[in-house]
Amino acid sequence: MPSSRRAAPGAAPTLSPVTRPSTVDLITAELRNAIYSGALRVGTPIREVEMAGQLGVSRGPFREAAQRLVSEGLVVATPGRGLSVRKIGKERIRPLYDARTVVETSAARLAVEHATAEQVAAVRDAHDALARADATHDALQVGAADLNVHWALVAASGNPWLLRWMTTLIVEVRIASFTVSEEYVVRKDAAESHAPLVERLEARDADGLDAAIRANLDDAVTRLLTPEAAGVETLEEPRPLPAPRLDPIDL
């Protein structure tokens, strides 16, 4: 995954680096990463004056960045109440994961056929990072590494539209996880459960990879909707409780 400007743990995956990002680009990435990490919790109001001040930017570019996130569906505008971080409840989990399934299986078949050795190696590297995250027993870190495996797999397809959609979907998955439970929950054996994805890609087995992705995502839906039926050991981490605050960005 391309490194972000500040490469913070749990930062949301981004598209290819911008050579000279504008102030709006930087603010957008900062807000997106804050939503992804949970620093801006679901339902949090986007207070323009306060947050622009925390970031050390003027209100104009902040407002434009916030509107970009509205267009991505990560922030919602409510008449009379302004902007806030989106919530994704249980009734939207299956449609969200249906979209992930379409994007990831489509990308997987392209990756099997067209991915370079370097792109396949990047997926293996992402899985190795997931194994290291497993050892920390930090649910948020494991969850970020888990999603990075899926993001790297879509990146290996070489299709920029699929990658752009996946980048937004990944943040929405984190929003859904923060919305439906008071704790952020991941599988304790995340690396083991993702091994078939990497192995089937390396074997250039399109049908096997398709099946592995579907099984992995079906398991995630079960854990989100009926965790008592998942039948696997999990790690849980309470959602962050401190008041949301953003750090100044370097312009």
Side-chain angles (χ1 to χ4, degrees):
M1 183 191 77
S3 60
S4 65
R5 181 177 55 83
R6 293 207 283 185
T14 59
L15 298 177
S16 19
V18 179
T19 304
R20 292 185 180 180
S22 69
T23 299
V24 175
D25 293 328
L26 295 175
I27 298 168
T28 302
E30 200 69 24
L31 292 174
R32 189 187 294 113
N33 286 342
I35 293 169
Y36 181 80
S37 69
L40 285 181
R41 299 190 297 279
V42 294
T44 297
I46 304 297
R47 297 187 173 92
E48 181 182 303
V49 175
E50 178 184 341
M51 292 185 180
Q54 290 176 358
L55 291 172
V57 299
S58 60
R59 293 171 62 183
F62 182 92
R63 187 179 303 121
E64 184 177 344
Q67 287 301 322
R68 286 190 186 180
L69 296 185
V70 171
S71 69
E72 291 180 15
L74 304 180
V75 168
V76 294
T78 305
R81 299 181 62 184
L83 303 180
S84 60
V85 178
R86 183 182 178 188
K87 293 183 178 181
I88 300 177
K90 287 189 174 183
E91 74 282 358
R92 303 298 298 275
I93 295 294
R94 290 194 185 278
L96 172 60
Y97 273 79
D98 286 345
R100 275 192 71 180
T101 300
V102 170
V103 169
E104 293 191 38
T105 56
S106 298
R109 291 188 177 276
L110 290 172
V112 164
E113 185 173 355
H114 300 298
T116 65
E118 290 77 11
Q119 288 170 321
V120 174
V123 180
R124 171 59 70 181
D125 289 344
H127 185 263
D128 290 344
L130 176 56
R132 293 192 295 272
D134 270 358
T136 70
H137 303 293
D138 180 320
L140 286 173
Q141 188 172 334
V142 172
D146 170 328
L147 290 172
N148 281 348
V149 172
H150 292 268
W151 190 91
L153 179 57
V154 174
S157 73
N159 186 298
W161 283 273
L162 291 174
L163 186 59
R164 184 172 63 202
W165 296 331
M166 185 63 177
T167 299
T168 298
L169 283 168
I170 278 178
V171 184
E172 290 179 309
V173 165
R174 291 296 283 262
I175 290 173
S177 297
F178 290 137
T179 302
V180 302
S181 174
E182 287 300 316
E183 296 181 317
Y184 186 81
V185 182
V186 296
R187 287 183 65 134
K188 208 167 188 177
D189 63 345
E192 181 180 346
S193 69
H194 282 73
L197 279 66
V198 188
E199 293 165 357
R200 292 304 89 207
L201 175 62
E202 291 174 337
R204 304 284 176 165
D205 176 3
D207 290 340
L209 179 53
D210 184 294
I213 290 170
R214 291 176 187 275
N216 185 278
L217 297 182
D218 285 347
D219 170 77
V221 170
T222 298
R223 281 186 287 108
L224 285 168
L225 294 181
T226 53
E228 68 281 357
V232 296
E233 289 190 86
T234 58
L235 297 169
E236 298 83 26
E237 183 161 332
R239 290 187 300 175
L241 297 178
R245 180 169 181 83
L246 303 172
D247 294 325
I249 58 177
D250 299 323
L251 299 177

